[in-house]
PDB file of all heavy atoms in Angstrom:
ATOM      1  N   GLN A 204     -31.238 125.177  -2.682  1.00 85.00           N
ATOM      2  CA  GLN A 204     -30.885 124.136  -1.730  1.00 85.00           C
ATOM      3  C   GLN A 204     -31.155 124.564  -0.297  1.00 85.00           C
ATOM      4  O   GLN A 204     -30.871 125.703   0.086  1.00 85.00           O
ATOM      5  CB  GLN A 204     -29.406 123.749  -1.863  1.00 85.00           C
ATOM      6  CG  GLN A 204     -29.056 123.097  -3.185  1.00 85.00           C
ATOM      7  CD  GLN A 204     -27.615 122.617  -3.207  1.00 85.00           C
ATOM      8  OE1 GLN A 204     -26.821 122.968  -2.332  1.00 85.00           O
ATOM      9  NE2 GLN A 204     -27.264 121.838  -4.193  1.00 85.00           N
ATOM     10  N   HIS A 205     -31.722 123.639   0.478  1.00 85.00           N
ATOM     11  CA  HIS A 205     -31.884 123.858   1.912  1.00 85.00           C
ATOM     12  C   HIS A 205     -30.552 123.554   2.583  1.00 85.00           C
ATOM     13  O   HIS A 205     -30.128 122.404   2.665  1.00 85.00           O
ATOM     14  CB  HIS A 205     -32.989 122.961   2.470  1.00 85.00           C
ATOM     15  CG  HIS A 205     -34.351 123.316   1.961  1.00 85.00           C
ATOM     16  ND1 HIS A 205     -35.187 124.216   2.588  1.00 85.00           N
ATOM     17  CD2 HIS A 205     -35.026 122.903   0.863  1.00 85.00           C
ATOM     18  CE1 HIS A 205     -36.311 124.333   1.902  1.00 85.00           C
ATOM     19  NE2 HIS A 205     -36.237 123.546   0.842  1.00 85.00           N
ATOM     20  N   ARG A 206     -29.876 124.592   3.050  1.00 88.00           N
ATOM     21  CA  ARG A 206     -28.529 124.444   3.603  1.00 88.00           C
ATOM     22  C   ARG A 206     -28.544 124.058   5.084  1.00 88.00           C
ATOM     23  O   ARG A 206     -27.516 123.682   5.631  1.00 88.00           O
ATOM     24  CB  ARG A 206     -27.763 125.767   3.456  1.00 88.00           C
ATOM     25  CG  ARG A 206     -27.649 126.240   2.020  1.00 88.00           C
ATOM     26  CD  ARG A 206     -26.564 125.494   1.280  1.00 88.00           C
ATOM     27  NE  ARG A 206     -26.434 125.979  -0.093  1.00 88.00           N
ATOM     28  CZ  ARG A 206     -25.457 125.664  -0.905  1.00 88.00           C
ATOM     29  NH1 ARG A 206     -24.509 124.848  -0.495  1.00 88.00           N
ATOM     30  NH2 ARG A 206     -25.427 126.115  -2.145  1.00 88.00           N
ATOM     31  N   TRP A 207     -29.697 124.188   5.726  1.00 89.00           N
ATOM     32  CA  TRP A 207     -29.767 123.912   7.162  1.00 89.00           C
ATOM     33  C   TRP A 207     -31.220 123.633   7.520  1.00 89.00           C
ATOM     34  O   TRP A 207     -32.133 124.249   6.982  1.00 89.00           O
ATOM     35  CB  TRP A 207     -29.262 125.133   7.936  1.00 89.00           C
ATOM     36  CG  TRP A 207     -29.375 125.034   9.420  1.00 89.00           C
ATOM     37  CD1 TRP A 207     -28.464 124.509  10.292  1.00 89.00           C
ATOM     38  CD2 TRP A 207     -30.466 125.500  10.236  1.00 89.00           C
ATOM     39  NE1 TRP A 207     -28.920 124.598  11.577  1.00 89.00           N
ATOM     40  CE2 TRP A 207     -30.154 125.213  11.571  1.00 89.00           C
ATOM     41  CE3 TRP A 207     -31.682 126.119   9.951  1.00 89.00           C
ATOM     42  CZ2 TRP A 207     -31.002 125.540  12.627  1.00 89.00           C
ATOM     43  CZ3 TRP A 207     -32.531 126.437  10.993  1.00 89.00           C
ATOM     44  CH2 TRP A 207     -32.192 126.148  12.310  1.00 89.00           C
ATOM     45  N   THR A 208     -31.437 122.648   8.386  1.00 86.00           N
ATOM     46  CA  THR A 208     -32.788 122.347   8.867  1.00 86.00           C
ATOM     47  C   THR A 208     -32.764 122.133  10.358  1.00 86.00           C
ATOM     48  O   THR A 208     -31.741 121.744  10.941  1.00 86.00           O
ATOM     49  CB  THR A 208     -33.369 121.085   8.201  1.00 86.00           C
ATOM     50  OG1 THR A 208     -32.510 119.972   8.489  1.00 86.00           O
ATOM     51  CG2 THR A 208     -33.502 121.252   6.701  1.00 86.00           C
ATOM     52  N   SER A 209     -33.901 122.384  10.988  1.00 85.00           N
ATOM     53  CA  SER A 209     -34.034 122.160  12.426  1.00 85.00           C
ATOM     54  C   SER A 209     -35.501 121.901  12.739  1.00 85.00           C
ATOM     55  O   SER A 209     -36.400 122.491  12.116  1.00 85.00           O
ATOM     56  CB  SER A 209     -33.554 123.387  13.214  1.00 85.00           C
ATOM     57  OG  SER A 209     -33.710 123.181  14.609  1.00 85.00           O
ATOM     58  N   PHE A 210     -35.744 121.012  13.700  1.00 84.00           N
ATOM     59  CA  PHE A 210     -37.110 120.642  14.059  1.00 84.00           C
ATOM     60  C   PHE A 210     -37.559 121.361  15.331  1.00 84.00           C
ATOM     61  O   PHE A 210     -36.778 121.569  16.256  1.00 84.00           O
ATOM     62  CB  PHE A 210     -37.219 119.126  14.269  1.00 84.00           C
ATOM     63  CG  PHE A 210     -37.026 118.331  13.028  1.00 84.00           C
ATOM     64  CD1 PHE A 210     -35.799 117.776  12.719  1.00 84.00           C
ATOM     65  CD2 PHE A 210     -38.073 118.142  12.137  1.00 84.00           C
ATOM     66  CE1 PHE A 210     -35.619 117.043  11.560  1.00 84.00           C
ATOM     67  CE2 PHE A 210     -37.901 117.420  10.979  1.00 84.00           C
ATOM     68  CZ  PHE A 210     -36.673 116.871  10.690  1.00 84.00           C
ATOM     69  N   ILE A 211     -38.828 121.739  15.371  1.00 87.00           N
ATOM     70  CA  ILE A 211     -39.483 122.209  16.593  1.00 87.00           C
ATOM     71  C   ILE A 211     -40.611 121.224  16.888  1.00 87.00           C
ATOM     72  O   ILE A 211     -41.440 120.953  16.023  1.00 87.00           O
ATOM     73  CB  ILE A 211     -40.044 123.638  16.427  1.00 87.00           C
ATOM     74  CG1 ILE A 211     -38.898 124.638  16.216  1.00 87.00           C
ATOM     75  CG2 ILE A 211     -40.874 124.037  17.647  1.00 87.00           C
ATOM     76  CD1 ILE A 211     -39.368 126.065  15.999  1.00 87.00           C
ATOM     77  N   ASP A 212     -40.621 120.663  18.080  1.00 81.00           N
ATOM     78  CA  ASP A 212     -41.593 119.616  18.396  1.00 81.00           C
ATOM     79  C   ASP A 212     -43.014 120.159  18.525  1.00 81.00           C
ATOM     80  O   ASP A 212     -43.969 119.514  18.126  1.00 81.00           O
ATOM     81  CB  ASP A 212     -41.206 118.904  19.697  1.00 81.00           C
ATOM     82  CG  ASP A 212     -40.030 117.958  19.481  1.00 81.00           C
ATOM     83  OD1 ASP A 212     -39.850 117.513  18.342  1.00 81.00           O
ATOM     84  OD2 ASP A 212     -39.301 117.689  20.445  1.00 81.00           O
ATOM     85  N   ALA A 213     -43.181 121.327  19.104  1.00 84.00           N
ATOM     86  CA  ALA A 213     -44.521 121.905  19.282  1.00 84.00           C
ATOM     87  C   ALA A 213     -44.360 123.384  19.591  1.00 84.00           C
ATOM     88  O   ALA A 213     -43.315 123.828  20.052  1.00 84.00           O
ATOM     89  CB  ALA A 213     -45.271 121.207  20.411  1.00 84.00           C
ATOM     90  N   LEU A 214     -45.432 124.147  19.326  1.00 88.00           N
ATOM     91  CA  LEU A 214     -45.400 125.581  19.586  1.00 88.00           C
ATOM     92  C   LEU A 214     -46.803 126.023  19.973  1.00 88.00           C
ATOM     93  O   LEU A 214     -47.737 125.899  19.176  1.00 88.00           O
ATOM     94  CB  LEU A 214     -44.922 126.328  18.332  1.00 88.00           C
ATOM     95  CG  LEU A 214     -44.203 127.670  18.520  1.00 88.00           C
ATOM     96  CD1 LEU A 214     -42.985 127.513  19.413  1.00 88.00           C
ATOM     97  CD2 LEU A 214     -43.766 128.216  17.178  1.00 88.00           C
ATOM     98  N   PRO A 215     -46.999 126.553  21.199  1.00 88.00           N
ATOM     99  CA  PRO A 215     -48.340 126.948  21.640  1.00 88.00           C
ATOM    100  C   PRO A 215     -48.802 128.216  20.933  1.00 88.00           C
ATOM    101  O   PRO A 215     -48.009 128.903  20.279  1.00 88.00           O
ATOM    102  CB  PRO A 215     -48.141 127.199  23.133  1.00 88.00           C
ATOM    103  CG  PRO A 215     -46.715 127.614  23.263  1.00 88.00           C
ATOM    104  CD  PRO A 215     -45.977 126.801  22.228  1.00 88.00           C
ATOM    105  N   PRO A 216     -50.095 128.550  21.032  1.00 87.00           N
ATOM    106  CA  PRO A 216     -50.577 129.808  20.464  1.00 87.00           C
ATOM    107  C   PRO A 216     -49.783 130.995  21.015  1.00 87.00           C
ATOM    108  O   PRO A 216     -49.492 131.054  22.206  1.00 87.00           O
ATOM    109  CB  PRO A 216     -52.044 129.867  20.897  1.00 87.00           C
ATOM    110  CG  PRO A 216     -52.409 128.451  21.192  1.00 87.00           C
ATOM    111  CD  PRO A 216     -51.171 127.787  21.691  1.00 87.00           C
ATOM    112  N   LYS A 217     -49.395 131.873  20.141  1.00 89.00           N
ATOM    113  CA  LYS A 217     -48.590 133.049  20.463  1.00 89.00           C
ATOM    114  C   LYS A 217     -47.194 132.685  20.968  1.00 89.00           C
ATOM    115  O   LYS A 217     -46.458 133.536  21.476  1.00 89.00           O
ATOM    116  CB  LYS A 217     -49.292 133.948  21.503  1.00 89.00           C
ATOM    117  CG  LYS A 217     -50.721 134.298  21.158  1.00 89.00           C
ATOM    118  CD  LYS A 217     -50.840 134.961  19.798  1.00 89.00           C
ATOM    119  CE  LYS A 217     -52.299 135.288  19.450  1.00 89.00           C
ATOM    120  NZ  LYS A 217     -52.432 135.839  18.085  1.00 89.00           N
ATOM    121  N   GLY A 218     -46.816 131.425  20.831  1.00 92.00           N
ATOM    122  CA  GLY A 218     -45.486 130.989  21.251  1.00 92.00           C
ATOM    123  C   GLY A 218     -44.459 131.236  20.157  1.00 92.00           C
ATOM    124  O   GLY A 218     -44.782 131.359  18.979  1.00 92.00           O
ATOM    125  N   SER A 219     -43.208 131.329  20.559  1.00 94.00           N
ATOM    126  CA  SER A 219     -42.141 131.554  19.592  1.00 94.00           C
ATOM    127  C   SER A 219     -40.871 130.857  20.054  1.00 94.00           C
ATOM    128  O   SER A 219     -40.721 130.525  21.229  1.00 94.00           O
ATOM    129  CB  SER A 219     -41.878 133.051  19.406  1.00 94.00           C
ATOM    130  OG  SER A 219     -41.365 133.620  20.604  1.00 94.00           O
ATOM    131  N   LYS A 220     -39.977 130.643  19.104  1.00 96.00           N
ATOM    132  CA  LYS A 220     -38.678 130.055  19.400  1.00 96.00           C
ATOM    133  C   LYS A 220     -37.665 130.626  18.436  1.00 96.00           C
ATOM    134  O   LYS A 220     -37.917 130.733  17.242  1.00 96.00           O
ATOM    135  CB  LYS A 220     -38.721 128.533  19.271  1.00 96.00           C
ATOM    136  CG  LYS A 220     -37.417 127.849  19.662  1.00 96.00           C
ATOM    137  CD  LYS A 220     -37.551 126.328  19.637  1.00 96.00           C
ATOM    138  CE  LYS A 220     -36.247 125.667  20.057  1.00 96.00           C
ATOM    139  NZ  LYS A 220     -36.362 124.180  20.053  1.00 96.00           N
ATOM    140  N   THR A 221     -36.510 131.016  18.974  1.00 96.00           N
ATOM    141  CA  THR A 221     -35.443 131.556  18.149  1.00 96.00           C
ATOM    142  C   THR A 221     -34.479 130.439  17.778  1.00 96.00           C
ATOM    143  O   THR A 221     -34.039 129.668  18.637  1.00 96.00           O
ATOM    144  CB  THR A 221     -34.688 132.678  18.874  1.00 96.00           C
ATOM    145  OG1 THR A 221     -35.599 133.762  19.136  1.00 96.00           O
ATOM    146  CG2 THR A 221     -33.539 133.196  18.026  1.00 96.00           C
ATOM    147  N   LEU A 222     -34.180 130.339  16.497  1.00 96.00           N
ATOM    148  CA  LEU A 222     -33.288 129.303  15.985  1.00 96.00           C
ATOM    149  C   LEU A 222     -31.982 129.941  15.529  1.00 96.00           C
ATOM    150  O   LEU A 222     -31.982 130.994  14.876  1.00 96.00           O
ATOM    151  CB  LEU A 222     -33.937 128.573  14.813  1.00 96.00           C
ATOM    152  CG  LEU A 222     -35.271 127.885  15.120  1.00 96.00           C
ATOM    153  CD1 LEU A 222     -35.896 127.346  13.840  1.00 96.00           C
ATOM    154  CD2 LEU A 222     -35.069 126.754  16.121  1.00 96.00           C
ATOM    155  N   ASN A 223     -30.874 129.322  15.883  1.00 96.00           N
ATOM    156  CA  ASN A 223     -29.557 129.788  15.471  1.00 96.00           C
ATOM    157  C   ASN A 223     -28.955 128.780  14.505  1.00 96.00           C
ATOM    158  O   ASN A 223     -29.072 127.568  14.704  1.00 96.00           O
ATOM    159  CB  ASN A 223     -28.645 129.961  16.679  1.00 96.00           C
ATOM    160  CG  ASN A 223     -29.072 131.106  17.577  1.00 96.00           C
ATOM    161  OD1 ASN A 223     -28.762 132.259  17.303  1.00 96.00           O
ATOM    162  ND2 ASN A 223     -29.785 130.803  18.651  1.00 96.00           N
ATOM    163  N   ALA A 224     -28.310 129.280  13.471  1.00 94.00           N
ATOM    164  CA  ALA A 224     -27.754 128.389  12.456  1.00 94.00           C
ATOM    165  C   ALA A 224     -26.470 128.982  11.895  1.00 94.00           C
ATOM    166  O   ALA A 224     -26.265 130.201  11.937  1.00 94.00           O
ATOM    167  CB  ALA A 224     -28.762 128.178  11.331  1.00 94.00           C
ATOM    168  N   THR A 225     -25.619 128.110  11.395  1.00 95.00           N
ATOM    169  CA  THR A 225     -24.461 128.540  10.617  1.00 95.00           C
ATOM    170  C   THR A 225     -24.634 127.978   9.210  1.00 95.00           C
ATOM    171  O   THR A 225     -24.634 126.769   9.014  1.00 95.00           O
ATOM    172  CB  THR A 225     -23.151 128.024  11.232  1.00 95.00           C
ATOM    173  OG1 THR A 225     -22.991 128.573  12.542  1.00 95.00           O
ATOM    174  CG2 THR A 225     -21.960 128.447  10.373  1.00 95.00           C
ATOM    175  N   ILE A 226     -24.822 128.867   8.257  1.00 95.00           N
ATOM    176  CA  ILE A 226     -25.056 128.478   6.872  1.00 95.00           C
ATOM    177  C   ILE A 226     -23.708 128.380   6.169  1.00 95.00           C
ATOM    178  O   ILE A 226     -22.910 129.320   6.205  1.00 95.00           O
ATOM    179  CB  ILE A 226     -25.956 129.499   6.156  1.00 95.00           C
ATOM    180  CG1 ILE A 226     -27.213 129.779   7.007  1.00 95.00           C
ATOM    181  CG2 ILE A 226     -26.320 129.008   4.771  1.00 95.00           C
ATOM    182  CD1 ILE A 226     -27.994 128.548   7.379  1.00 95.00           C
ATOM    183  N   LYS A 227     -23.469 127.244   5.511  1.00 93.00           N
ATOM    184  CA  LYS A 227     -22.206 127.032   4.821  1.00 93.00           C
ATOM    185  C   LYS A 227     -22.436 127.025   3.309  1.00 93.00           C
ATOM    186  O   LYS A 227     -23.259 126.253   2.824  1.00 93.00           O
ATOM    187  CB  LYS A 227     -21.572 125.722   5.277  1.00 93.00           C
ATOM    188  CG  LYS A 227     -21.216 125.714   6.770  1.00 93.00           C
ATOM    189  CD  LYS A 227     -20.569 124.393   7.184  1.00 93.00           C
ATOM    190  CE  LYS A 227     -20.225 124.415   8.675  1.00 93.00           C
ATOM    191  NZ  LYS A 227     -19.576 123.151   9.100  1.00 93.00           N
ATOM    192  N   VAL A 228     -21.714 127.891   2.627  1.00 93.00           N
ATOM    193  CA  VAL A 228     -21.832 128.011   1.172  1.00 93.00           C
ATOM    194  C   VAL A 228     -20.489 127.645   0.558  1.00 93.00           C
ATOM    195  O   VAL A 228     -19.473 128.300   0.825  1.00 93.00           O
ATOM    196  CB  VAL A 228     -22.250 129.432   0.760  1.00 93.00           C
ATOM    197  CG1 VAL A 228     -22.357 129.533  -0.755  1.00 93.00           C
ATOM    198  CG2 VAL A 228     -23.576 129.809   1.414  1.00 93.00           C
ATOM    199  N   SER A 229     -20.469 126.609  -0.261  1.00 92.00           N
ATOM    200  CA  SER A 229     -19.220 126.135  -0.849  1.00 92.00           C
ATOM    201  C   SER A 229     -18.687 127.122  -1.885  1.00 92.00           C
ATOM    202  O   SER A 229     -19.422 127.585  -2.753  1.00 92.00           O
ATOM    203  CB  SER A 229     -19.449 124.764  -1.492  1.00 92.00           C
ATOM    204  OG  SER A 229     -18.248 124.278  -2.065  1.00 92.00           O
ATOM    205  N   ASP A 230     -17.412 127.440  -1.786  1.00 93.00           N
ATOM    206  CA  ASP A 230     -16.762 128.359  -2.721  1.00 93.00           C
ATOM    207  C   ASP A 230     -15.252 128.090  -2.684  1.00 93.00           C
ATOM    208  O   ASP A 230     -14.473 128.911  -2.181  1.00 93.00           O
ATOM    209  CB  ASP A 230     -17.071 129.808  -2.326  1.00 93.00           C
ATOM    210  CG  ASP A 230     -16.503 130.826  -3.313  1.00 93.00           C
ATOM    211  OD1 ASP A 230     -16.185 130.437  -4.447  1.00 93.00           O
ATOM    212  OD2 ASP A 230     -16.364 132.005  -2.932  1.00 93.00           O
ATOM    213  N   PRO A 231     -14.818 126.921  -3.191  1.00 92.00           N
ATOM    214  CA  PRO A 231     -13.409 126.531  -3.049  1.00 92.00           C
ATOM    215  C   PRO A 231     -12.424 127.573  -3.573  1.00 92.00           C
ATOM    216  O   PRO A 231     -11.348 127.751  -3.009  1.00 92.00           O
ATOM    217  CB  PRO A 231     -13.328 125.225  -3.855  1.00 92.00           C
ATOM    218  CG  PRO A 231     -14.719 124.696  -3.877  1.00 92.00           C
ATOM    219  CD  PRO A 231     -15.604 125.898  -3.908  1.00 92.00           C
ATOM    220  N   GLY A 232     -12.773 128.255  -4.663  1.00 88.00           N
ATOM    221  CA  GLY A 232     -11.868 129.242  -5.234  1.00 88.00           C
ATOM    222  C   GLY A 232     -12.006 130.626  -4.632  1.00 88.00           C
ATOM    223  O   GLY A 232     -11.314 131.554  -5.051  1.00 88.00           O
ATOM    224  N   LYS A 233     -12.904 130.800  -3.692  1.00 90.00           N
ATOM    225  CA  LYS A 233     -13.174 132.085  -3.034  1.00 90.00           C
ATOM    226  C   LYS A 233     -13.465 133.182  -4.057  1.00 90.00           C
ATOM    227  O   LYS A 233     -13.022 134.310  -3.942  1.00 90.00           O
ATOM    228  CB  LYS A 233     -11.997 132.486  -2.154  1.00 90.00           C
ATOM    229  CG  LYS A 233     -12.389 133.437  -1.013  1.00 90.00           C
ATOM    230  CD  LYS A 233     -11.199 133.738  -0.110  1.00 90.00           C
ATOM    231  CE  LYS A 233     -11.615 134.674   1.021  1.00 90.00           C
ATOM    232  NZ  LYS A 233     -10.476 134.990   1.915  1.00 90.00           N
ATOM    233  N   ILE A 234     -14.233 132.790  -5.090  1.00 92.00           N
ATOM    234  CA  ILE A 234     -14.537 133.752  -6.155  1.00 92.00           C
ATOM    235  C   ILE A 234     -15.809 134.539  -5.872  1.00 92.00           C
ATOM    236  O   ILE A 234     -16.164 135.446  -6.619  1.00 92.00           O
ATOM    237  CB  ILE A 234     -14.669 133.025  -7.507  1.00 92.00           C
ATOM    238  CG1 ILE A 234     -15.807 132.003  -7.464  1.00 92.00           C
ATOM    239  CG2 ILE A 234     -13.374 132.364  -7.901  1.00 92.00           C
ATOM    240  CD1 ILE A 234     -16.090 131.337  -8.799  1.00 92.00           C
ATOM    241  N   MET A 235     -16.516 134.163  -4.794  1.00 93.00           N
ATOM    242  CA  MET A 235     -17.767 134.853  -4.487  1.00 93.00           C
ATOM    243  C   MET A 235     -17.575 136.052  -3.575  1.00 93.00           C
ATOM    244  O   MET A 235     -18.538 136.740  -3.232  1.00 93.00           O
ATOM    245  CB  MET A 235     -18.756 133.863  -3.841  1.00 93.00           C
ATOM    246  CG  MET A 235     -19.192 132.737  -4.762  1.00 93.00           C
ATOM    247  SD  MET A 235     -20.241 131.513  -3.939  1.00 93.00           S
ATOM    248  CE  MET A 235     -21.660 132.519  -3.501  1.00 93.00           C
ATOM    249  N   GLY A 236     -16.318 136.292  -3.165  1.00 92.00           N
ATOM    250  CA  GLY A 236     -16.061 137.434  -2.299  1.00 92.00           C
ATOM    251  C   GLY A 236     -16.573 138.733  -2.899  1.00 92.00           C
ATOM    252  O   GLY A 236     -16.374 139.008  -4.078  1.00 92.00           O
ATOM    253  N   GLY A 237     -17.237 139.536  -2.096  1.00 92.00           N
ATOM    254  CA  GLY A 237     -17.791 140.796  -2.555  1.00 92.00           C
ATOM    255  C   GLY A 237     -19.202 140.704  -3.091  1.00 92.00           C
ATOM    256  O   GLY A 237     -19.859 141.718  -3.280  1.00 92.00           O
ATOM    257  N   ARG A 238     -19.682 139.486  -3.341  1.00 94.00           N
ATOM    258  CA  ARG A 238     -21.033 139.332  -3.872  1.00 94.00           C
ATOM    259  C   ARG A 238     -22.074 139.384  -2.760  1.00 94.00           C
ATOM    260  O   ARG A 238     -21.802 139.067  -1.606  1.00 94.00           O
ATOM    261  CB  ARG A 238     -21.176 138.007  -4.615  1.00 94.00           C
ATOM    262  CG  ARG A 238     -20.297 137.873  -5.840  1.00 94.00           C
ATOM    263  CD  ARG A 238     -20.613 136.586  -6.577  1.00 94.00           C
ATOM    264  NE  ARG A 238     -19.679 136.321  -7.668  1.00 94.00           N
ATOM    265  CZ  ARG A 238     -19.753 135.261  -8.455  1.00 94.00           C
ATOM    266  NH1 ARG A 238     -20.716 134.376  -8.285  1.00 94.00           N
ATOM    267  NH2 ARG A 238     -18.861 135.084  -9.407  1.00 94.00           N
ATOM    268  N   THR A 239     -23.265 139.740  -3.135  1.00 95.00           N
ATOM    269  CA  THR A 239     -24.407 139.717  -2.212  1.00 95.00           C
ATOM    270  C   THR A 239     -25.265 138.510  -2.552  1.00 95.00           C
ATOM    271  O   THR A 239     -25.647 138.321  -3.713  1.00 95.00           O
ATOM    272  CB  THR A 239     -25.242 141.001  -2.329  1.00 95.00           C
ATOM    273  OG1 THR A 239     -24.427 142.120  -1.951  1.00 95.00           O
ATOM    274  CG2 THR A 239     -26.456 140.935  -1.412  1.00 95.00           C
ATOM    275  N   ILE A 240     -25.528 137.689  -1.556  1.00 95.00           N
ATOM    276  CA  ILE A 240     -26.354 136.503  -1.769  1.00 95.00           C
ATOM    277  C   ILE A 240     -27.618 136.611  -0.921  1.00 95.00           C
ATOM    278  O   ILE A 240     -27.646 137.313   0.093  1.00 95.00           O
ATOM    279  CB  ILE A 240     -25.606 135.200  -1.438  1.00 95.00           C
ATOM    280  CG1 ILE A 240     -25.171 135.187   0.027  1.00 95.00           C
ATOM    281  CG2 ILE A 240     -24.404 135.017  -2.346  1.00 95.00           C
ATOM    282  CD1 ILE A 240     -24.545 133.856   0.444  1.00 95.00           C
ATOM    283  N   GLU A 241     -28.658 135.937  -1.355  1.00 96.00           N
ATOM    284  CA  GLU A 241     -29.935 135.963  -0.663  1.00 96.00           C
ATOM    285  C   GLU A 241     -30.146 134.660   0.098  1.00 96.00           C
ATOM    286  O   GLU A 241     -29.966 133.569  -0.459  1.00 96.00           O
ATOM    287  CB  GLU A 241     -31.084 136.181  -1.646  1.00 96.00           C
ATOM    288  CG  GLU A 241     -31.078 137.540  -2.310  1.00 96.00           C
ATOM    289  CD  GLU A 241     -32.265 137.728  -3.247  1.00 96.00           C
ATOM    290  OE1 GLU A 241     -32.884 136.706  -3.628  1.00 96.00           O
ATOM    291  OE2 GLU A 241     -32.578 138.884  -3.595  1.00 96.00           O
ATOM    292  N   LEU A 242     -30.533 134.778   1.362  1.00 96.00           N
ATOM    293  CA  LEU A 242     -30.877 133.635   2.196  1.00 96.00           C
ATOM    294  C   LEU A 242     -32.366 133.730   2.525  1.00 96.00           C
ATOM    295  O   LEU A 242     -32.893 134.842   2.746  1.00 96.00           O
ATOM    296  CB  LEU A 242     -30.074 133.626   3.497  1.00 96.00           C
ATOM    297  CG  LEU A 242     -28.614 133.150   3.463  1.00 96.00           C
ATOM    298  CD1 LEU A 242     -27.749 134.079   2.628  1.00 96.00           C
ATOM    299  CD2 LEU A 242     -28.060 133.066   4.877  1.00 96.00           C
ATOM    300  N   PHE A 243     -33.034 132.602   2.567  1.00 95.00           N
ATOM    301  CA  PHE A 243     -34.452 132.579   2.911  1.00 95.00           C
ATOM    302  C   PHE A 243     -34.670 131.628   4.084  1.00 95.00           C
ATOM    303  O   PHE A 243     -34.277 130.457   4.032  1.00 95.00           O
ATOM    304  CB  PHE A 243     -35.297 132.131   1.717  1.00 95.00           C
ATOM    305  CG  PHE A 243     -35.308 133.109   0.580  1.00 95.00           C
ATOM    306  CD1 PHE A 243     -34.375 133.003  -0.449  1.00 95.00           C
ATOM    307  CD2 PHE A 243     -36.223 134.147   0.555  1.00 95.00           C
ATOM    308  CE1 PHE A 243     -34.366 133.905  -1.499  1.00 95.00           C
ATOM    309  CE2 PHE A 243     -36.228 135.062  -0.497  1.00 95.00           C
ATOM    310  CZ  PHE A 243     -35.303 134.942  -1.519  1.00 95.00           C
ATOM    311  N   ALA A 244     -35.255 132.149   5.141  1.00 95.00           N
ATOM    312  CA  ALA A 244     -35.601 131.334   6.310  1.00 95.00           C
ATOM    313  C   ALA A 244     -37.058 130.920   6.190  1.00 95.00           C
ATOM    314  O   ALA A 244     -37.927 131.751   5.902  1.00 95.00           O
ATOM    315  CB  ALA A 244     -35.379 132.122   7.593  1.00 95.00           C
ATOM    316  N   TYR A 245     -37.326 129.632   6.397  1.00 92.00           N
ATOM    317  CA  TYR A 245     -38.682 129.096   6.299  1.00 92.00           C
ATOM    318  C   TYR A 245     -39.141 128.570   7.659  1.00 92.00           C
ATOM    319  O   TYR A 245     -38.423 127.800   8.302  1.00 92.00           O
ATOM    320  CB  TYR A 245     -38.746 127.945   5.297  1.00 92.00           C
ATOM    321  CG  TYR A 245     -38.692 128.345   3.853  1.00 92.00           C
ATOM    322  CD1 TYR A 245     -37.490 128.521   3.202  1.00 92.00           C
ATOM    323  CD2 TYR A 245     -39.869 128.544   3.134  1.00 92.00           C
ATOM    324  CE1 TYR A 245     -37.437 128.879   1.871  1.00 92.00           C
ATOM    325  CE2 TYR A 245     -39.834 128.902   1.790  1.00 92.00           C
ATOM    326  CZ  TYR A 245     -38.619 129.068   1.168  1.00 92.00           C
ATOM    327  OH  TYR A 245     -38.585 129.421  -0.154  1.00 92.00           O
ATOM    328  N   ALA A 246     -40.329 128.979   8.078  1.00 92.00           N
ATOM    329  CA  ALA A 246     -41.015 128.325   9.181  1.00 92.00           C
ATOM    330  C   ALA A 246     -41.944 127.290   8.579  1.00 92.00           C
ATOM    331  O   ALA A 246     -42.682 127.592   7.649  1.00 92.00           O
ATOM    332  CB  ALA A 246     -41.813 129.344   9.999  1.00 92.00           C
ATOM    333  N   ASP A 247     -41.924 126.064   9.098  1.00 88.00           N
ATOM    334  CA  ASP A 247     -42.684 124.959   8.509  1.00 88.00           C
ATOM    335  C   ASP A 247     -42.268 124.802   7.054  1.00 88.00           C
ATOM    336  O   ASP A 247     -43.053 124.970   6.132  1.00 88.00           O
ATOM    337  CB  ASP A 247     -44.183 125.195   8.639  1.00 88.00           C
ATOM    338  CG  ASP A 247     -45.004 123.952   8.302  1.00 88.00           C
ATOM    339  OD1 ASP A 247     -44.467 122.843   8.479  1.00 88.00           O
ATOM    340  OD2 ASP A 247     -46.157 124.076   7.874  1.00 88.00           O
ATOM    341  N   ALA A 248     -40.989 124.470   6.859  1.00 86.00           N
ATOM    342  CA  ALA A 248     -40.380 124.470   5.534  1.00 86.00           C
ATOM    343  C   ALA A 248     -40.909 123.342   4.657  1.00 86.00           C
ATOM    344  O   ALA A 248     -41.316 122.301   5.156  1.00 86.00           O
ATOM    345  CB  ALA A 248     -38.865 124.341   5.670  1.00 86.00           C
TER     346      ALA A 248
END
């Protein structure tokens, strides 16, 4: 699942932009504590 998305209108050659996000993972019972999860960031997702 894509937990967060953001648009960039344009980016020049050699240009860059830093994106900040808060990823929310549902865990009502808090049973995932201690686990390691993998997040993947996509440019042009």
Side-chain angles (χ1 to χ4, degrees):
Q204 294 185 348
H205 293 270
R206 302 281 182 169
W207 176 88
T208 59
S209 179
F210 293 97
I211 295 178
D212 285 335
L214 208 57
K217 309 304 179 184
S219 66
K220 184 175 181 179
T221 298
L222 301 173
N223 292 278
T225 298
I226 310 305
K227 297 181 180 181
V228 180
S229 180
D230 184 18
K233 204 176 180 180
I234 61 174
M235 295 175 63
R238 297 186 187 180
T239 297
I240 60 174
E241 294 182 342
L242 282 65
F243 293 92
Y245 285 87
D247 192 27

